[in-house]
Amino acid sequence: MSSTHIKLIATSPMGLEAVVAREVRELGYEDVQVENGRITFIGDLAAICRANLWLRTSDRVLIQMAQFEARTFDELFEGVKALPWSDWIPEDGEFPVEGRSHKSQLSSVPACQGIVKKAVVEKLKQQYGTEWFEETGGRYVIEVSLLNDIATITLDTTGPGLHKRGYRKLVTEAPLKETMAAALVLLSRWEPERPLYDPFCGSGTIPIEAAMIGWNLAPGLRRTFNSSSWPIIPEELWEQAREEAFDLVKDDIPLQIGGSDIDPEAIEVALAAAKSAGLAKELTFKTLPVHKAMPAGEYGCLITNPPYGERIGDPKEVERALRQLGLTYAHMPTWSAFVFSPSKDLEHYMARKADKKRKLFNGRIECNLNQFFASGGLYAWKKQDREQGGPAAGKP
């Protein structure tokens, strides 16, 4: 496999494929294919570094080693053994094998994992001239995924999922993943010149992700990845990718981002996370019930994931919280609201039909991103700015 022509996969939560694809294209990679749960694109070794540092809504970045038909264990073994494993995995590398199978004749996942492991060992034995591998070095997670008798063999460059940014040491109950929070902000089309507020902020994930987007902070800057220590990727490529990310930070933009929550412990967690992310001075968090949350400014975005299920066990409490959200939003005529919720009655509590809905999954829970646009359309503020010659003047 050429190091200048690598097939990469950015995995995606269900429903966010278009968002991940847009992020990949914005990184400059054009040969982008969108499939269920994955976006494939062609890159080089530097693309592994840049994709891991920059992708906000993807779960992880994989190298597609091969894809071939495998109806028998022999076909699977030979297909895997034919691959250039020693190009990637050094003699001391740790290479666990994960697997899954759907609608395929090779339905036993443990058996498939065993065959793949054996095939990789046989290939590395030939290359390194040894009978035993200590596996004490860097981590190279191989996955065999079978779908309709087609085996896809991948190598995981990320390690712990991309949602683990590194700023959140503590969590509240049922926290929203950072990747999903970033997706909600991106789907709102919010721009950093405008206010943004989350009245059910929990551990502060939506405001923190919004601030990172507003300042163009690469979400992976504070962490390392499995591939950070791989010999095949020169250290200078990681250094260049990080330098590029630091150069692109726009921390001179004043932000008007805040959040509130009725739980004082959640606010403590949010404040700690904001401090860890280097954004404590830019974000405002308060302990408030939703009916007292009245954010300052006009033409902003209210983006929120109201509590349900694990966070509030009592359905009446959930109903009360949604009703209060509707009453609060009624006093915010110039704001657009983006409410991520599994509730089928949300429009009833908001006292209006959503202008747009997008089905997304929070883990395995089916939710809708209910979009309520401000009076005068999605961005009434843009119209106002054009009339006054403000920041939105001249924008489409």
Side-chain angles (χ1 to χ4, degrees):
M1 181 183 298
S2 166
S3 62
T4 58
H5 193 80
I6 303 165
K7 191 164 191 178
L8 297 170
I9 300 170
T11 64
S12 168
M14 201 182 308
L16 290 182
E17 290 89 351
V19 182
V20 176
R22 190 169 81 197
E23 286 198 86
V24 170
R25 290 189 184 100
E26 285 173 354
L27 283 174
Y29 304 108
E30 294 176 358
D31 191 3
V32 177
Q33 305 292 322
V34 181
E35 301 170 37
N36 284 339
R38 48 187 268 159
I39 287 77
T40 61
F41 61 104
I42 303 299
D44 53 10
L45 290 173
I48 294 172
C49 309
R50 296 180 71 238
N52 275 298
L53 286 177
W54 280 104
L55 292 180
R56 299 180 192 280
T57 58
S58 173
D59 290 323
R60 58 188 61 248
V61 180
L62 312 174
I63 296 164
Q64 181 171 306
M65 297 292 292
Q67 197 168 61
F68 53 86
E69 189 173 80
R71 295 175 183 273
T72 67
F73 287 128
D74 279 347
E75 287 176 337
L76 180 60
F77 181 88
E78 294 301 332
V80 172
K81 190 182 174 190
L83 301 176
W85 291 108
S86 60
D87 288 358
W88 295 95
I89 304 175
E91 189 171 347
D92 67 347
E94 178 191 3
F95 51 102
V97 178
E98 297 178 353
R100 50 200 168 118
S101 178
H102 186 62
K103 295 182 180 176
S104 296
Q105 291 188 41
L106 297 179
S107 58
S108 169
V109 172
C112 291
Q113 289 172 270
I115 291 292
V116 170
K117 181 78 175 185
K118 185 179 177 184
V120 176
V121 167
E122 288 302 313
K123 186 60 178 269
L124 293 180
K125 275 183 182 179
Q126 292 176 1
Q127 183 65 34
Y128 294 122
T130 183
E131 287 297 310
W132 180 256
F133 296 96
E134 294 287 346
E135 298 196 45
T136 55
R139 191 167 168 83
Y140 301 77
V141 180
I142 299 166
E143 184 181 73
V144 51
S145 175
L146 286 147
L147 176 64
N148 297 322
D149 296 317
I150 300 296
T152 302
I153 311 297
T154 59
L155 197 55
D156 177 14
T157 74
T158 301
L162 288 174
H163 71 282
K164 292 185 180 293
R165 316 287 206 218
Y167 62 74
R168 191 160 72 177
K169 311 301 181 194
L170 304 167
V171 295
T172 53
E173 281 189 86
L176 188 68
K177 269 191 177 181
E178 292 86 339
T179 41
M180 180 58 77
L184 300 182
V185 176
L186 292 174
L187 286 167
S188 77
R189 307 270 175 134
W190 168 77
E191 294 186 7
E193 296 88 0
R194 302 296 147 183
L196 183 147
Y197 195 85
D198 180 0
F200 296 105
C201 71
S203 54
T205 312
I206 291 174
I208 291 170
E209 289 296 320
M212 292 175 72
I213 290 167
W215 273 9
N216 202 37
L217 293 168
L221 263 179
R222 293 175 172 270
R223 58 163 288 181
T224 58
F225 307 91
N226 274 4
S227 52
S228 299
S229 60
W230 290 2
I232 192 173
I233 304 179
E235 179 58 34
E236 64 249 32
L237 289 184
W238 283 105
E239 289 173 6
Q240 287 167 12
R242 291 181 188 279
E243 282 175 19
E244 175 195 35
F246 280 118
D247 289 344
L248 291 171
V249 172
K250 299 176 182 176
D251 58 2
D252 56 340
I253 298 174
L255 299 174
Q256 307 165 68
I257 299 174
S260 55
D261 200 282
I262 197 170
D263 181 0
E265 289 184 9
I267 294 299
E268 282 184 27
V269 172
L271 289 167
K275 185 177 180 182
S276 179
L279 294 162
K281 293 180 181 177
E282 311 307 318
L283 303 175
T284 305
F285 291 110
K286 293 179 180 176
T287 304
L288 285 175
V290 65
H291 69 273
K292 289 191 177 178
M294 290 305 294
E298 293 192 337
Y299 304 100
C301 281
L302 188 151
I303 306 176
T304 194
N305 172 218
Y308 55 86
E310 290 176 57
R311 285 169 68 188
I312 292 186
D314 183 353
K316 288 185 178 177
E317 285 294 313
V318 173
E319 182 183 323
R320 186 178 297 118
L322 294 178
R323 181 171 282 114
Q324 288 179 350
L325 174 64
L327 292 171
T328 296
Y329 184 54
H331 293 95
M332 302 167 66
T334 66
W335 283 58
S336 293
F338 301 83
V339 186
F340 183 51
S341 172
S343 172
K344 306 296 183 191
D345 300 317
L346 182 72
E347 290 166 305
H348 168 70
Y349 297 122
M350 297 293 282
R352 59 177 280 194
K353 283 279 186 190
D355 293 286
K356 220 173 157 184
K357 284 186 181 182
R358 188 182 187 118
K359 185 165 76 172
L360 299 171
F361 285 81
N362 190 9
R364 294 187 177 182
I365 301 170
E366 184 179 322
C367 297
N368 274 307
L369 177 59
N370 298 269
Q371 304 171 47
F372 303 92
F373 302 151
S375 304
L378 172 56
Y379 282 126
W381 58 264
K382 283 196 174 182
K383 179 173 182 290
Q384 183 213 41
D385 260 12
R386 287 197 192 93
E387 290 166 356
Q388 296 178 4
K395 292 184 182 179

